[in-house]
Amino acid sequence: MPQLQARDVTVRFGGLLALDRVSLEVNQGEIVGLIGPNGAGKTTLFNCISRYYHPDEGSLVFEGHQLLQRRPHDIIGLGIARTFQNVELFKTMTTLQNMMVGLHCRTGSVWTNMLSFPSARRFEREAYVKACRVAEILGLSRVLDQVVSNLPFGYQKIIELGRALVSDPKLILLDEPAAGRNNQETKELAGLIRQIRNEFGITMLLVEHDMTLVMNICERIYVLDFGRNIAHGAPAEIQSNPAVIEAYLGEKNALAEA
Amino acid sequence: MIAQQMVSGLAAGSLYALTALGLVLIFKNTDVVNFAQGDFGMVAAFVALMAISQFKVPFVLATLVAIVTTAILAVVVDRLTIRPMKNASMLSLMIATLGVYMILHGVAGAIWGRDTKAFPSPLPSDPVSVNGVVIGQGHLWILAFGFIISAVLFVFFRYTTAGLAMRATAEDRMAARLMGVNVSRIFALTWGVSGALAAVAGILLAPLVYLSPNMMSDVLVKAYAAAVLGGFGSLPGAIVGGLFIGVAENLAGEFISTELRTTFAFVLIVVVLAVRPTGVFGRRIQAKV
Amino acid sequence: MLKLSDVETSYGKIKALKGVSMEVPERSIVALLGANGAGKTTVLRTISGVVHPLNGTIELWGKRIDRVPAERIVGMGVAHVPEGRHVFAGLSVLENLKMGAYGRKDKSNIKGDLDRVTDYFPILGKRRSQPAGTLSGGEQQMLAISRALMARPKLLLLDEPSLGIAPKVITEIFSIIRTINVEEKTTILLVEQNAFLALAIAHYGATCSKLETSCFQAQLRSSSRVTR
């Protein structure tokens, strides 16, 4: 049984069908890509999984839990963390503080924290150690004490990944992780995503426009267009799928001649 | 009876709406919550009265002088208090405008005295009867001016380059600068227009009440309520909010209790906001992620 | 046409540029490449006057522009399409385009220019009365570029036009950038993370290296050489 299963998810915004019976399955430990033109509904599907939107129809099951019966703040507790297309960090806080927020879902009650019980302090310390370790893996150690709004976009995206990792997720939804990174940095990111999966067994579902990254790391790819599934398969199949080329990839060497 | 209360409610509401428009305009374009907005109207009324009674200027000219003076005053307030604090927090800016409110109050009291003065109205005020409904002409004039000014504002924002630049600046300051918009000039224009709106409200109100430094206090509080009800950011919302409060308090005064008319109006607002926290015209602020 | 000499810029205490020198020849497309945080965006922001340099000079046709505020630079023929597009979301597409021509004196030509830029991106013509915020990412990028063109710039600064945009649309946008360079004779300084893409259309490449941020220039034509 797949770890995450979306079945016939439909979302309407007014008269617009943002998602039209979209289905997708992700197995434990897989790296799966979700691609398609701008406005195809990729982020909308992410928003359904993280419960920002409530689908009009369809079901979402994660490890046997019906997600649609859960509230948005329960989702991270179930083990689903995400990053955002346009980066949603606490802008005036430092890298370290932002990453420690990722553990917030695991803290005890407000009272134990406010009264600073020994358990709460111990927890703070553990959170700190954990955030530092994740920062080291992600190469963020150098900027731990910098306020995030001063850091370049590419860094901010990685800090979001860090915040997600700190929460001990089973599945991470990555929304355009390569945006704002150059070719070399994207290559490093590919290694990083693979490393996270291999070492921690975390499943990755990513939305991305950088095809070198997608084709390089994804084991399977789903393609959406106008809110519908139009293709699904291994990278090589997707790259040669005429429907996908027509809707999304375009002709490969369109810019080369001149 | 209801029709009569409706009309006087709409008239009062027009004043709230005009004041609320100025508040919302300043807030949208410059992120400042302006507590001195009501006092701009008070200053305008006094300036007009002074021009009429001391300098024997005809009413129309006195009104124009008052509007221009107030617009300039608003621009000066922006330059002297808000602009030097441009990196301050919203709360600090709010306190600064509260300071301006105190200063204008004090200065107005010192110049024009604290005792109340009557304001001559050149417009006929005898009640007229429409289909058997007796309506104070003063109310009709206020309604007419409220309508005309709203229409002028609409045309200004919709069809003029300056109006377009103002909206663009409110949306994205940096991008507007890159288009060649001089943002500090837009701010000055915003304050000037808001000052002029307050002046019109003050002068329209003046014949109905006695002039005193506190004459606009009630209007200002209700203008705030109107702006909040309209979503604090929407100009049509400010107008509808103002009219709504005016009508609600008049009907409450008629059918429930004269003493509780304002109370009732505000209870209604609390209820509306509980149902629709963003105000009637407000956009739900949910970041697109 | 554009010349930067030892430009240093900082945001508060943080130094973003430590001595950048570069030249942009007239009618060329220059791609400015480099790592995250190397200061590419800051170079563009310094040229367009959003930030002013601490030291160094920026000359446009031999005239110093490093102290000119952003709102006057556009009148001197420099239009900047900022990172993240920054379209006026609540204004219609048409109003956005009109804002692009805000500072122009020759009001009579604006109508024709509206048609001309929507010829480059016909989708904008179809969406002219729609609020810009409802456009897709690719369409917003097209709008941001068209809006800049409405100023009839001699020099166009483009900051990461490919950010978050589907491959097919990127190809479309980049080929139009090249068309604009040829047909409008507009000089283009392009900041881009994707070096392959940028060098496919650029005549010159310049790199901002990490922390060092001194730029050098190299004549490049084939994209295969900048793989690092």
Side-chain angles (χ1 to χ4, degrees):
Chain A
M1 180 164 167
Q3 184 182 36
L4 174 75
Q5 185 171 36
R7 196 174 286 163
D8 293 330
V9 175
T10 300
V11 174
R12 289 186 198 93
F13 295 131
L16 183 83
L17 256 181
L19 290 179
D20 184 5
R21 283 169 288 132
V22 169
S23 299
L24 139 171
E25 289 179 357
V26 182
N27 297 311
Q28 152 69 32
E30 258 190 315
I31 302 179
V32 175
L34 181 59
I35 63 174
N38 301 95
K42 306 175 301 281
T43 300
T44 306
L45 184 62
F46 270 21
N47 283 340
C48 288
I49 298 171
S50 51
R51 300 290 290 112
Y52 282 95
Y53 297 156
H54 192 86
D56 296 285
E57 285 157 43
S59 72
L60 285 163
V61 181
F62 177 74
E63 298 194 333
H65 303 281
Q66 290 287 342
L67 290 184
L68 299 185
Q69 288 163 12
R70 301 298 181 125
R71 286 168 299 172
H73 55 261
D74 294 335
I75 297 301
I76 191 155
L78 293 176
I80 303 178
R82 74 175 284 188
T83 70
F84 297 86
Q85 198 172 347
N86 295 315
V87 177
E88 307 284 334
L89 288 169
F90 301 97
K91 296 224 178 333
T92 56
M93 291 174 19
T94 63
T95 304
L96 180 67
Q97 287 166 339
N98 265 289
M99 288 176 48
M100 282 172 68
V101 170
L103 259 172
H104 175 76
C105 63
R106 305 257 181 261
T107 54
S109 77
V110 179
W111 294 107
T112 52
N113 277 302
M114 281 221 306
L115 300 172
S116 192
F117 282 168
S119 67
R121 265 178 283 154
R122 197 173 337 113
F123 186 84
E124 279 287 314
R125 203 164 44 241
E126 277 168 24
Y128 174 78
V129 171
K130 195 162 185 193
C132 288
R133 229 189 75 220
V134 169
E136 206 180 302
I137 297 171
L138 298 182
L140 293 171
S141 303
R142 213 167 47 82
V143 296
L144 267 183
D145 295 321
Q146 290 201 28
V147 174
V148 296
S149 60
N150 292 331
L151 295 171
F153 189 68
Y155 268 101
Q156 296 187 11
K157 297 225 75 146
I158 294 298
I159 295 168
E160 274 201 315
L161 175 58
R163 180 173 64 186
L165 272 178
V166 166
S167 73
D168 264 341
K170 296 170 185 158
L171 164 70
I172 300 183
L173 310 174
L174 290 166
D175 203 342
E176 295 194 23
R181 304 176 74 80
N182 68 22
N183 306 91
Q184 179 61 27
E185 290 162 338
T186 303
K187 221 179 273 174
E188 289 164 16
L189 178 70
L192 208 54
I193 292 176
R194 245 200 225 111
Q195 185 194 349
I196 291 167
R197 193 271 307 264
N198 295 345
E199 273 182 35
F200 307 101
I202 299 171
T203 314
M204 302 273 183
L205 176 59
L206 68 139
V207 163
E208 180 55 62
H209 284 309
D210 188 320
M211 286 305 113
T212 52
L213 179 72
V214 172
M215 299 304 170
N216 186 351
I217 64 168
C218 293
E219 281 129 13
R220 286 188 303 125
I221 296 170
Y222 285 89
V223 189
L224 298 185
D225 189 24
F226 291 113
R228 283 196 202 120
N229 290 97
I230 61 163
H232 162 222
E237 294 164 25
I238 295 296
Q239 270 171 305
S240 56
N241 182 321
V244 180
I245 292 172
E246 163 65 27
Y248 179 63
L249 293 174
E251 288 305 325
K252 208 166 181 181
N253 292 317
L255 271 181
E257 97 288 354
Chain B
M1 214 43 170
I2 292 187
Q4 210 168 314
Q5 290 300 332
M6 290 282 279
V7 174
S8 61
L10 287 174
S14 303
L15 293 177
Y16 306 154
L18 284 176
T19 312
L21 278 175
L23 287 174
V24 170
L25 209 55
I26 288 180
F27 178 72
K28 252 179 96 152
N29 289 7
T30 71
D31 299 331
V32 175
V33 175
N34 179 25
F35 278 110
Q37 186 69 15
D39 283 10
F40 289 155
M42 177 268 293
V43 169
F46 273 114
V47 169
L49 179 66
M50 200 163 77
I52 293 166
S53 57
Q54 285 182 16
F55 300 100
K56 310 294 175 211
V57 175
F59 184 84
V60 173
L61 189 62
T63 304
L64 287 178
V65 169
I67 291 174
V68 171
T69 312
T70 314
I72 293 171
L73 173 71
V75 173
V76 170
V77 164
D78 173 42
R79 270 288 142 85
L80 294 187
T81 62
I82 306 300
R83 207 65 67 77
M85 309 174 54
K86 66 176 175 192
N87 294 321
S89 73
M90 209 164 182
L91 193 64
S92 312
L93 290 168
M94 225 160 100
I95 300 299
T97 66
L98 205 56
V100 173
Y101 165 89
M102 303 278 188
I103 292 169
L104 289 180
H105 245 68
V107 172
I111 299 178
W112 294 299
R114 304 213 169 263
D115 48 327
T116 52
K117 292 184 177 57
F119 189 87
S121 174
L123 303 171
S125 60
D126 349 295
V128 291
S129 170
V130 183
N131 285 340
V133 181
V134 183
I135 297 166
Q137 264 196 60
H139 289 161
L140 289 180
W141 285 112
I142 291 178
L143 262 178
F145 275 105
F147 182 79
I148 292 169
I149 285 166
S150 306
V152 168
L153 273 186
F154 176 80
V155 170
F156 171 74
F157 281 113
R158 201 58 196 258
Y159 298 107
T160 68
T161 312
L164 187 62
M166 250 190 186
R167 284 163 61 208
T169 308
E171 293 257 346
D172 191 323
R173 233 170 263 178
M174 198 251 314
R177 284 190 71 196
L178 291 176
M179 307 292 105
V181 176
N182 185 332
V183 170
S184 60
R185 227 178 269 165
I186 293 288
F187 284 7
L189 185 62
T190 302
W191 279 82
V193 169
S194 297
L197 284 170
V200 173
I203 292 168
L204 285 173
L205 177 68
L208 306 182
V209 297
Y210 290 102
L211 296 204
S212 79
N214 283 322
M215 63 179 273
M216 292 293 281
S217 302
D218 186 53
V219 173
L220 181 68
V221 171
K222 283 165 189 163
Y224 265 107
V228 170
L229 200 57
F232 225 119
S234 152
L235 297 179
I239 295 173
V240 172
L243 296 177
F244 177 83
I245 291 172
V247 171
E249 66 172 10
N250 264 278
L251 292 181
E254 177 69 24
F255 295 106
I256 298 169
S257 142
T258 326
E259 254 108 81
L260 288 180
R261 51 184 291 195
T262 307
T263 314
F264 180 78
F266 277 90
V267 168
L268 203 58
I269 291 167
V270 171
V271 172
V272 169
L273 289 183
V275 179
R276 254 192 88 92
T278 54
V280 179
F281 278 67
R283 268 184 277 179
R284 225 176 128 199
I285 302 182
Q286 183 185 37
K288 200 176 160 191
V289 293
Chain C
M1 168 182 196
L2 180 77
K3 188 176 172 195
L4 281 72
S5 320
D6 290 320
V7 171
E8 291 177 30
T9 308
S10 64
Y11 297 111
K13 272 183 237 150
I14 301 157
K15 205 153 220 185
L17 300 181
K18 301 178 184 171
V20 172
S21 302
M22 67 181 296
E23 274 181 56
V24 178
E26 196 156 358
R27 291 198 189 180
S28 63
I29 300 179
V30 175
L32 184 54
L33 311 167
N36 238 306
K40 303 181 299 297
T41 293
T42 309
V43 171
L44 296 195
R45 290 165 66 92
T46 310
I47 295 169
S48 68
V50 176
V51 286
H52 292 303
L54 290 176
N55 287 307
T57 60
I58 303 174
E59 290 167 61
L60 185 69
W61 284 301
K63 212 166 136 195
R64 288 274 297 264
I65 59 164
D66 43 83
R67 288 281 164 261
V68 181
E71 57 265 27
R72 286 193 20 232
I73 292 271
V74 64
M76 302 171 89
V78 181
H80 180 176
V81 181
E83 182 182 14
R85 314 186 274 263
H86 287 266
V87 296
F88 302 113
L91 272 56
S92 72
V93 168
L94 187 64
E95 286 172 330
N96 267 277
L97 292 174
K98 281 185 179 161
M99 276 309 295
Y102 178 78
R104 274 171 59 175
K105 306 273 182 297
D106 53 333
K107 300 288 178 201
S108 52
N109 295 328
I110 290 176
K111 182 84 194 40
D113 282 1
L114 278 173
D115 295 338
R116 208 164 42 90
V117 300
T118 43
D119 277 350
Y120 286 125
F121 299 109
I123 187 78
L124 297 179
K126 274 187 217 144
R127 303 218 187 283
R128 57 199 298 146
S129 48
Q130 215 168 305
T134 64
L135 302 183
S136 76
E139 289 164 359
Q140 287 190 17
Q141 187 64 58
M142 295 176 190
L143 176 58
I145 293 173
S146 308
R147 184 180 64 178
L149 286 180
M150 287 302 295
R152 283 204 179 173
K154 298 281 179 295
L155 172 65
L156 188 59
L157 310 174
L158 295 175
D159 199 346
E160 285 219 48
S162 75
L163 191 67
I165 292 170
K168 189 181 169 189
V169 181
I170 292 179
T171 312
E172 192 185 330
I173 290 177
F174 271 68
S175 65
I176 291 189
I177 292 173
R178 183 162 53 196
T179 313
I180 289 166
N181 171 250
V182 175
E183 286 184 7
E184 311 276 319
K185 303 180 179 65
T186 312
T187 310
I188 292 168
L189 177 56
L190 169 72
V191 159
E192 182 53 61
Q193 295 281 9
N194 189 334
F196 306 111
L197 201 59
L199 293 173
I201 65 165
H203 308 114
Y204 302 93
T207 64
C208 263
S209 71
K210 207 162 197 163
L211 299 171
E212 194 56 42
T213 36
S214 83
C215 290
F216 64 89
Q217 219 181 64
Q219 183 111 27
L220 295 157
R221 199 62 245 231
S222 88
S223 53
S224 57
R225 260 190 278 161
V226 190
T227 45
R228 302 215 299 180

